[in-house]
Each structure stands twice: as C-alpha cells, then as structure tokens.
Amino acid sequence: MKTKQRIFLIGFMGSGKSTLGNELANQLNYKYIDTDAWIEENEKRKISEIFETSGEDYFRKKEREALLSVIQKERIVIATGGGLPCFFDNMKIITNNGTSFFLEIQPEDLLERLKGETNHRPLLSEKKETELLEWMEYKLNERNVFYSNADYTINGNLPVDSLIHEIVKKIHV
Ligand code: S3P
C-alpha cells in the first residue's frame, strides 16, 4: 500500500542517502534501514565480498529480498542501495509501497564525494580516477530513467536540515 509511513530514499552512491536517512528517521521517530546493511547482516559478509565471490546477479537478488522484507514494516525510512531501483520491477514496488524521494546530485559533485573511497565500492574499485567521471555520467543517464519515477526529486547538495524540512513538508507528519 502506498503510505507516508514508509519513506524511500533513492539515488546514486555517494548522494547522501544514509546520512539523511538516519537523521530523518531520528526526527520522525521512525525506524531506519539501509538495504546494504540488511544484506550484509543477512549474509554475514560485506557487500564487496558478495560481489567478489558470488557476483553482481546474486547481489541484485539479495537486494530484491531486502526490498520485499522492508515493505512489511511501517514507520520506517529506507535508504536503498544506488542500483536497487534499477533492477527487476523494484522501482514499481517502491512507488507502490511508500513515498519516494530521489536525491539528485550532478556527476561532478558525486566525483568529488566518491573519488577518495573507491576501494570498498565494488562498482568503482576497478576504475581509474580519470575514467570515473565519464562512467558516472553514463551510469547516471541510465539510472535516471528509474530514479525519475520517484514521487519527489530533491537537491542532494542542500544541507541535511533543509532536506529534512522539505521531506517533512511533503509527507505532512
Ligand atoms: C551500488 C551501490 C551501493 C551498493 C553496491 C552497488 C550500485 O550502495 O549497493 O555497492 O549499484 O550503485 P550505496 O548507494 O548505498 O553506496
């Protein structure tokens, strides 16, 4: 059921979903869950290890399981992995089962945020810094098709407090 009591934060890695999600959940007195953390806990291993030993397809299936599990909960803020909305019909499940916010950030700003931490991010670990911007522009283009189905698009460069204010205004809680 589409509800305001289930808030999805979607967007590219590095867009600030976890920081915002934690803070928003605190302020609303909602639970907070990060689908990556759900998977790591469920699998008892790190995302990077899952990619390395079981492959991306396996990881995407686990993301789907995480999504189907979190939509059973209410009064919850859910930060999804950057790729989650872009596989299977996950984005449809998101929009049907909660209020979704896409944290939009331009590739140049994402590059600044991500270039120092490519090691533990499986999709970035093989890339040279010079390739990163081009890859991100390409990926964002591809993923925006899914992200743009969110109920609301918000500017990920705004301070967390302003984003929370904007979200709370939209959901009227
Ligand atoms: C991924 C983003 C990561 C994580 C995995 C794959 C992606 O999550 O799920 O490394 O495909 O963009 P964050 O967006 O939380 O970094």
Side-chain angles (χ1 to χ4, degrees), residues 53-99:
T53 54
S54 307
E56 182 172 350
D57 287 355
Y58 178 86
F59 173 74
R60 298 302 174 194
K61 285 188 196 131
K62 290 290 142 189
E63 279 193 318
R64 172 76 174 188
E65 274 175 38
L67 178 62
L68 296 179
S69 163
V70 297
I71 59 169
Q72 306 304 321
K73 300 178 198 301
E74 287 198 343
R75 294 178 63 83
I76 188 166
V77 176
I78 302 145
T80 68
L84 186 145
C86 317
F87 288 83
F88 314 109
D89 64 346
N90 290 349
M91 194 60 213
K92 195 165 157 207
I93 296 205
I94 290 173
T95 50
N96 284 347
N97 287 281
T99 305

Coordinates of all heavy atoms in Angstrom, one line a residue, residues 53-99:
T53 N 32.8 -12.8 -4.6 CA 32.7 -14.3 -4.6 C 31.4 -14.8 -5.2 O 31.4 -15.9 -5.7 CB 32.9 -14.9 -3.1 OG1 32.0 -14.2 -2.3 CG2 34.3 -14.6 -2.6
S54 N 30.3 -14.0 -5.1 CA 29.0 -14.6 -5.6 C 28.5 -13.8 -6.9 O 27.6 -14.3 -7.5 CB 27.9 -14.5 -4.5 OG 28.4 -15.1 -3.4
G55 N 29.1 -12.7 -7.1 CA 28.8 -11.9 -8.4 C 27.6 -10.9 -8.2 O 26.9 -11.0 -7.2
E56 N 27.5 -10.0 -9.2 CA 26.5 -9.0 -9.1 C 25.1 -9.5 -9.2 O 24.2 -9.1 -8.4 CB 26.7 -7.9 -10.2 CG 25.7 -6.8 -10.0 CD 26.0 -5.6 -11.0 OE1 27.0 -5.5 -11.6 OE2 25.1 -4.7 -11.0
D57 N 24.8 -10.5 -10.0 CA 23.5 -11.0 -10.1 C 22.9 -11.5 -8.8 O 21.8 -11.3 -8.4 CB 23.4 -12.2 -11.2 CG 23.5 -11.7 -12.6 OD1 23.6 -10.4 -12.8 OD2 23.6 -12.5 -13.5
Y58 N 23.8 -12.2 -8.1 CA 23.4 -12.8 -6.8 C 23.1 -11.6 -5.9 O 22.1 -11.6 -5.2 CB 24.6 -13.6 -6.2 CG 24.3 -14.1 -4.8 CD1 23.7 -15.3 -4.7 CD2 24.7 -13.4 -3.7 CE1 23.4 -15.9 -3.4 CE2 24.5 -13.9 -2.4 CZ 23.8 -15.1 -2.3 OH 23.6 -15.6 -1.0
F59 N 23.9 -10.6 -5.9 CA 23.7 -9.4 -5.0 C 22.4 -8.7 -5.4 O 21.6 -8.3 -4.5 CB 24.9 -8.4 -5.2 CG 24.6 -7.1 -4.5 CD1 24.7 -7.0 -3.1 CD2 24.2 -5.9 -5.2 CE1 24.4 -5.8 -2.4 CE2 24.0 -4.7 -4.6 CZ 24.1 -4.7 -3.2
R60 N 22.0 -8.6 -6.7 CA 20.8 -8.0 -7.0 C 19.6 -8.8 -6.5 O 18.5 -8.2 -6.2 CB 20.7 -7.8 -8.6 CG 21.8 -6.9 -9.1 CD 21.8 -5.5 -8.6 NE 22.9 -4.7 -9.0 CZ 23.3 -3.5 -8.4 NH1 22.7 -3.1 -7.4 NH2 24.4 -2.9 -8.9
K61 N 19.7 -10.1 -6.5 CA 18.6 -10.9 -6.0 C 18.4 -10.7 -4.5 O 17.3 -10.6 -3.9 CB 18.9 -12.4 -6.2 CG 18.6 -12.8 -7.7 CD 18.7 -14.3 -7.9 CE 18.9 -14.6 -9.3 NZ 20.0 -15.5 -9.6
K62 N 19.6 -10.5 -3.8 CA 19.5 -10.2 -2.3 C 18.9 -8.8 -2.1 O 18.1 -8.6 -1.1 CB 20.9 -10.2 -1.7 CG 21.5 -11.6 -1.7 CD 20.8 -12.4 -0.6 CE 20.7 -13.9 -1.1 NZ 19.8 -14.7 -0.2
E63 N 19.2 -7.9 -3.0 CA 18.6 -6.6 -2.8 C 17.0 -6.7 -3.0 O 16.3 -6.0 -2.2 CB 19.1 -5.6 -4.0 CG 20.4 -5.0 -3.7 CD 20.7 -3.9 -4.7 OE1 20.4 -4.0 -5.9 OE2 21.2 -2.9 -4.2
R64 N 16.6 -7.5 -3.9 CA 15.2 -7.7 -4.1 C 14.6 -8.3 -2.8 O 13.5 -7.9 -2.4 CB 15.0 -8.7 -5.3 CG 13.6 -9.1 -5.6 CD 12.8 -8.1 -6.2 NE 11.5 -8.5 -6.6 CZ 10.6 -7.8 -7.3 NH1 11.0 -6.6 -7.7 NH2 9.5 -8.3 -7.6
E65 N 15.2 -9.3 -2.2 CA 14.8 -9.8 -1.0 C 14.7 -8.8 0.1 O 13.7 -8.7 0.9 CB 15.7 -10.9 -0.5 CG 15.5 -12.3 -1.1 CD 16.5 -13.3 -0.6 OE1 17.0 -13.2 0.5 OE2 16.9 -14.1 -1.5
A66 N 15.7 -7.9 0.2 CA 15.7 -6.9 1.2 C 14.5 -6.0 1.0 O 13.8 -5.6 1.9 CB 17.0 -6.1 1.1
L67 N 14.2 -5.6 -0.3 CA 13.1 -4.7 -0.6 C 11.8 -5.4 -0.2 O 11.0 -4.7 0.5 CB 13.1 -4.4 -2.1 CG 12.0 -3.5 -2.6 CD1 12.0 -2.1 -1.9 CD2 12.1 -3.3 -4.1
L68 N 11.6 -6.6 -0.5 CA 10.4 -7.3 -0.2 C 10.2 -7.4 1.4 O 9.1 -7.5 1.9 CB 10.3 -8.7 -0.8 CG 10.2 -8.6 -2.4 CD1 10.2 -10.0 -3.0 CD2 9.1 -7.8 -2.9
S69 N 11.3 -7.5 2.1 CA 11.2 -7.6 3.5 C 10.9 -6.2 4.1 O 10.0 -6.1 5.0 CB 12.6 -8.1 4.1 OG 12.7 -7.8 5.4
V70 N 11.5 -5.1 3.6 CA 11.3 -3.8 4.3 C 9.9 -3.3 4.1 O 9.4 -2.5 4.9 CB 12.4 -2.8 3.9 CG1 13.7 -3.2 4.4 CG2 12.4 -2.4 2.5
I71 N 9.3 -3.7 3.0 CA 7.9 -3.2 2.8 C 6.9 -3.8 3.7 O 5.7 -3.5 3.6 CB 7.5 -3.3 1.3 CG1 7.5 -4.7 0.8 CG2 8.3 -2.4 0.4 CD1 6.8 -4.9 -0.6
Q72 N 7.3 -4.8 4.5 CA 6.4 -5.3 5.5 C 6.4 -4.4 6.8 O 5.6 -4.6 7.6 CB 6.9 -6.7 6.0 CG 7.1 -7.8 4.9 CD 5.9 -7.9 4.0 OE1 4.8 -8.0 4.5 NE2 6.1 -8.0 2.7
K73 N 7.3 -3.5 6.8 CA 7.4 -2.7 8.0 C 6.8 -1.3 7.8 O 6.7 -0.8 6.7 CB 8.9 -2.5 8.4 CG 9.6 -3.8 8.7 CD 11.1 -3.5 9.0 CE 12.0 -4.7 8.9 NZ 11.6 -5.8 9.7
E74 N 6.4 -0.7 8.9 CA 5.8 0.7 8.9 C 6.6 1.6 9.7 O 7.4 1.2 10.6 CB 4.3 0.6 9.3 CG 3.5 0.0 8.2 CD 2.1 0.2 8.3 OE1 1.6 0.6 9.4 OE2 1.4 0.0 7.3
R75 N 6.3 2.9 9.6 CA 7.1 4.0 10.3 C 8.5 3.7 10.1 O 9.3 3.5 11.1 CB 6.6 4.0 11.7 CG 5.2 4.5 11.9 CD 4.8 4.5 13.4 NE 5.5 5.5 14.2 CZ 5.3 6.8 14.2 NH1 4.2 7.3 13.5 NH2 6.0 7.6 14.9
I76 N 9.0 3.7 8.9 CA 10.3 3.4 8.6 C 10.9 4.3 7.4 O 10.2 4.6 6.5 CB 10.4 1.9 8.2 CG1 11.9 1.4 8.1 CG2 9.7 1.5 6.9 CD1 12.1 -0.1 8.0
V77 N 12.2 4.6 7.6 CA 12.9 5.3 6.5 C 13.8 4.3 5.9 O 14.6 3.6 6.6 CB 13.7 6.5 7.0 CG1 14.5 7.1 5.9 CG2 12.8 7.5 7.7
I78 N 13.8 4.1 4.6 CA 14.6 3.1 3.9 C 15.6 3.8 2.9 O 15.1 4.4 2.0 CB 13.7 2.1 3.1 CG1 12.7 1.4 4.1 CG2 14.5 1.0 2.4 CD1 11.3 1.2 3.4
A79 N 16.9 3.6 3.2 CA 17.9 4.1 2.2 C 18.2 2.9 1.3 O 18.6 1.8 1.8 CB 19.1 4.6 2.9
T80 N 18.0 3.0 0.0 CA 18.2 1.8 -0.8 C 19.6 1.9 -1.5 O 20.2 3.0 -1.6 CB 17.2 1.8 -2.0 OG1 17.4 2.9 -2.9 CG2 15.8 1.8 -1.5
G81 N 20.2 0.8 -1.8 CA 21.5 0.8 -2.5 C 21.3 1.5 -3.8 O 20.2 1.5 -4.4
G82 N 22.3 2.2 -4.3 CA 22.2 3.0 -5.5 C 21.6 2.3 -6.7 O 20.9 2.9 -7.5
G83 N 21.9 1.0 -6.9 CA 21.4 0.3 -8.0 C 20.0 -0.4 -7.8 O 19.4 -0.7 -8.8
L84 N 19.6 -0.5 -6.6 CA 18.4 -1.2 -6.3 C 17.1 -0.8 -7.2 O 16.5 -1.7 -7.7 CB 18.0 -1.1 -4.8 CG 16.9 -2.0 -4.3 CD1 17.1 -2.6 -2.9 CD2 15.6 -1.2 -4.4
P85 N 16.8 0.5 -7.3 CA 15.6 0.9 -8.1 C 15.7 0.5 -9.5 O 14.7 0.5 -10.2 CB 15.6 2.4 -7.9 CG 16.5 2.7 -6.8 CD 17.5 1.7 -6.8
C86 N 16.9 0.1 -10.0 CA 17.1 -0.1 -11.5 C 17.1 -1.5 -11.9 O 17.4 -1.8 -13.0 CB 18.4 0.6 -11.8 SG 18.7 2.2 -11.1
F87 N 16.7 -2.4 -11.0 CA 16.7 -3.9 -11.4 C 15.3 -4.4 -11.1 O 14.5 -3.9 -10.3 CB 17.7 -4.6 -10.6 CG 19.1 -4.4 -11.0 CD1 19.8 -3.2 -10.6 CD2 19.7 -5.2 -12.0 CE1 21.1 -2.9 -11.0 CE2 21.0 -4.9 -12.5 CZ 21.7 -3.7 -12.0
F88 N 14.9 -5.5 -11.9 CA 13.6 -6.1 -11.8 C 12.5 -5.0 -11.9 O 12.7 -4.0 -12.6 CB 13.5 -6.9 -10.5 CG 14.6 -7.8 -10.2 CD1 15.5 -7.6 -9.2 CD2 14.9 -8.9 -11.0 CE1 16.6 -8.4 -9.0 CE2 16.0 -9.7 -10.8 CZ 16.9 -9.5 -9.8
D89 N 11.4 -5.2 -11.2 CA 10.5 -4.1 -11.1 C 10.5 -3.4 -9.8 O 9.5 -3.0 -9.2 CB 9.0 -4.5 -11.5 CG 8.5 -5.5 -10.5 OD1 9.2 -6.0 -9.7 OD2 7.2 -5.7 -10.5
N90 N 11.7 -3.3 -9.2 CA 11.9 -2.8 -7.9 C 11.3 -1.3 -7.7 O 10.8 -1.0 -6.7 CB 13.4 -2.7 -7.5 CG 13.9 -4.1 -7.3 OD1 13.2 -5.1 -7.2 ND2 15.2 -4.2 -7.1
M91 N 11.5 -0.5 -8.8 CA 11.1 0.9 -8.7 C 9.5 0.9 -8.6 O 9.0 1.7 -7.8 CB 11.5 1.7 -9.9 CG 11.4 3.2 -9.7 SD 12.3 3.8 -8.3 CE 11.3 5.2 -7.8
K92 N 8.9 0.0 -9.2 CA 7.4 -0.1 -9.1 C 7.0 -0.5 -7.7 O 6.1 0.1 -7.1 CB 6.9 -1.1 -10.1 CG 5.4 -1.0 -10.4 CD 5.1 -1.8 -11.6 CE 3.6 -2.2 -11.6 NZ 3.4 -3.4 -12.4
I93 N 7.7 -1.4 -7.1 CA 7.4 -1.8 -5.8 C 7.6 -0.6 -4.8 O 6.8 -0.4 -3.9 CB 8.3 -3.0 -5.4 CG1 7.9 -4.2 -6.3 CG2 8.2 -3.3 -3.9 CD1 8.2 -5.5 -5.7
I94 N 8.7 0.1 -5.0 CA 9.0 1.3 -4.2 C 7.8 2.3 -4.3 O 7.3 2.7 -3.3 CB 10.3 1.9 -4.6 CG1 11.5 1.0 -4.2 CG2 10.5 3.3 -4.0 CD1 12.8 1.5 -4.7
T95 N 7.4 2.6 -5.5 CA 6.4 3.7 -5.6 C 5.0 3.2 -5.2 O 4.2 4.0 -4.7 CB 6.3 4.2 -7.1 OG1 6.2 3.1 -8.0 CG2 7.5 5.1 -7.5
N96 N 4.8 1.9 -5.3 CA 3.5 1.4 -4.8 C 3.4 1.2 -3.3 O 2.3 1.1 -2.7 CB 3.2 0.0 -5.4 CG 2.8 0.1 -6.8 OD1 2.5 1.2 -7.3 ND2 2.8 -1.0 -7.5
N97 N 4.6 1.2 -2.6 CA 4.6 0.9 -1.2 C 5.1 1.9 -0.3 O 5.3 1.7 0.9 CB 5.4 -0.4 -1.0 CG 4.6 -1.6 -1.5 OD1 3.7 -2.1 -0.8 ND2 5.0 -2.1 -2.7
G98 N 5.3 3.1 -0.8 CA 5.7 4.2 0.1 C 5.9 5.5 -0.7 O 5.5 5.6 -1.8
T99 N 6.4 6.5 0.0 CA 6.7 7.8 -0.6 C 8.2 7.9 -0.9 O 9.0 7.6 0.0 CB 6.2 8.9 0.4 OG1 4.9 8.7 0.7 CG2 6.4 10.3 -0.3

